[in-house]
Amino acid sequence: GDILIIAGDICSFGNKAELLDFDDFLEIQSHSAKVVVAGNHDWPFACSSPAEANALLKNAIYLEDSGIEILGLKFWGSPWQPWFGGWAFNLPRGPKLAAVWSKIPDDTDVLITHCPPYGILDVVHGENVGCKDLAIALKRVRPLVHVFGHVHQGYGVAEQDGMIYVNASLRDENYSLVNQPISIDL
């Protein structure tokens, strides 16, 4: 592929050693660009020294409520999710998450978030757990592709309203590495 996208949970326990191992993994990947957002396990980016964590990630572009243009495509990335236990990058549902999603530029081609939107590849034990405010923002932004993870049981691809949704969770609910990376063409 041309661009490798990682939608968070690059660490297991959230320490710098894991981040360094991940960066070593990225270094040997052949993609011309690698784009990463953090997830709820990625404490080095959420703690008191996120700039230090970002500096450790030498082989990828880290996006945190920010964007970049690559190969003519506009990417935007954000690590936030609805409150989930005591993990990193939690915000309460409602105005605080809506404010985060309001920052997504209207001309975004590829949106990368850690959490899924409500109702799309987000079912856990029969219940949709995605973010409703993110689903509302997607109606405004309408990216070509939305890549996310977080909900391990939702792995897969869905197409809806002219958008491609990718839940790229490689691990199942038991944290076993069982799913294959997903490749899409634009």
Side-chain angles (χ1 to χ4, degrees):
D2 296 313
I3 302 169
L4 175 64
I5 298 172
I6 307 286
D9 286 351
I10 58 180
C11 298
S12 293
F13 302 103
N15 60 54
K16 290 178 186 171
E18 291 175 323
L19 186 55
L20 288 169
D21 287 345
F22 177 70
D23 195 56
D24 289 343
F25 161 80
L26 288 172
E27 184 176 24
I28 62 172
Q29 302 310 305
S30 62
H31 305 81
S32 61
K34 300 147 192 161
V35 182
V36 173
V37 300
N40 58 292
H41 286 261
D42 302 327
W43 285 106
F45 292 99
C47 291
S48 58
S49 59
E52 182 182 341
N54 197 0
L56 293 174
L57 194 62
K58 295 179 175 118
N59 293 294
I61 300 159
Y62 175 68
L63 298 179
E64 184 174 319
D65 300 322
S66 59
I68 190 165
E69 187 170 331
I70 304 170
L71 300 175
L73 295 170
K74 293 180 180 178
F75 290 76
W76 183 265
S78 183
W80 300 98
Q81 77 227 340
W83 189 266
F84 176 69
W87 295 96
F89 296 105
N90 282 334
L91 285 174
R93 292 180 187 270
K96 288 189 178 183
L97 273 171
V100 167
W101 309 135
S102 73
K103 298 174 189 176
I104 304 168
D106 290 346
D107 62 350
T108 299
D109 296 308
V110 180
L111 177 63
I112 310 161
T113 61
H114 183 55
C115 78
Y118 183 85
I120 299 175
L121 303 172
D122 71 330
V123 175
V124 176
H125 304 299
E127 181 181 344
N128 294 99
V129 297
C131 181
K132 290 181 181 179
D133 290 304
L134 179 55
I136 292 168
L138 285 166
K139 290 179 182 176
R140 171 183 56 85
V141 177
R142 300 196 48 77
L144 300 171
V145 178
H146 179 200
V147 179
F148 49 89
H150 190 49
V151 175
H152 300 203
Q153 298 91 325
Y155 168 82
V157 178
E159 193 165 340
Q160 184 175 321
D161 299 326
M163 291 182 276
I164 299 170
Y165 297 89
V166 178
N167 181 327
S169 295
L170 299 182
R171 297 185 183 272
D172 65 11
E173 61 272 10
N174 298 315
Y175 292 93
S176 297
L177 188 58
V178 297
N179 297 323
Q180 295 296 310
I182 295 170
S183 178
I184 59 168
D185 292 316
L186 289 183

